[in-house]
Amino acid sequence: MTVEKSIILFDGVCNLCSGAVQFILKRDAKKKFVFASLQSEIGKNLLLKYKVTTTVETIILIQDNKWFSQSEAALEIARSLSGVWPLLYAFKIVPRFIRDGIYNWISSNRYRFFGKKDACMIPSPEWKNRFLD
């Protein structure tokens, strides 16, 4: 059975976002996810193609020709990881405006809390084939 790839677009200069990508890579046993930074040409083209109306303040998941952002994207990603992480999908019962409110607070403070790089994350050789750019 072939696993259809889902694309995760992330802020490539954000330390929190880069850490989240590494976290996902380590727990994506089925190798379902591929990645691109929102700042890359591929990332920008995918945003245009799927008519995503957002800024770099959120993670974007493109899956089954649909896109998800903020807490919705995070929960969909967690649902596909190995281990106990799919249990987080239970937070789907929390109203989205509450989940996204928390997500947006963290997102708007991410550089202050976790720092920022001068350039986009460069994947390690073992994960290079999982990145589109």
Side-chain angles (χ1 to χ4, degrees):
M1 181 168 111
T2 305
V3 176
E4 185 176 323
K5 298 292 184 192
S6 297
I7 303 167
I8 296 175
L9 302 176
F10 67 100
D11 179 353
V13 297
C14 167
N15 287 334
L16 173 64
C17 305
S18 296
V21 167
Q22 291 175 34
F23 178 89
I24 294 165
L25 282 164
K26 291 176 184 174
R27 289 155 184 85
D28 182 17
K30 296 177 184 169
K31 297 185 178 3
K32 176 179 179 171
F33 298 110
V34 293
F35 303 86
S37 71
L38 288 160
Q39 295 90 343
S40 69
E41 284 305 309
I42 290 172
K44 291 174 188 174
N45 289 336
L46 286 166
L47 292 175
L48 287 172
K49 176 182 177 181
Y50 287 93
K51 298 176 175 63
V52 177
T53 53
T54 189
T55 66
V56 294
E57 298 217 348
T58 185
I59 193 168
I60 302 292
L61 171 65
I62 300 172
Q63 172 173 279
D64 300 326
N65 288 316
K66 295 181 284 193
W67 63 274
F68 304 90
S69 65
Q70 299 168 304
S71 66
E72 200 74 12
L75 292 176
E76 289 293 330
I77 292 165
R79 184 182 198 183
S80 296
L81 299 179
S82 59
V84 299
W85 302 106
L87 295 175
L88 291 175
Y89 195 73
F91 282 101
K92 187 94 168 166
I93 64 169
V94 175
R96 185 166 182 177
F97 77 93
I98 294 172
R99 289 185 278 124
D100 283 351
I102 295 166
Y103 183 99
N104 290 337
W105 180 80
I106 293 169
S107 177
S108 63
N109 290 291
R110 70 191 186 282
Y111 294 149
R112 186 169 17 145
F113 295 157
F114 301 98
K116 181 178 176 182
K117 299 176 189 302
D118 292 330
C120 286
M121 172 188 154
I122 298 172
S124 67
E126 68 180 297
W127 290 331
K128 186 134 180 76
N129 65 336
R130 305 280 301 279
F131 286 79
L132 300 176
D133 46 354

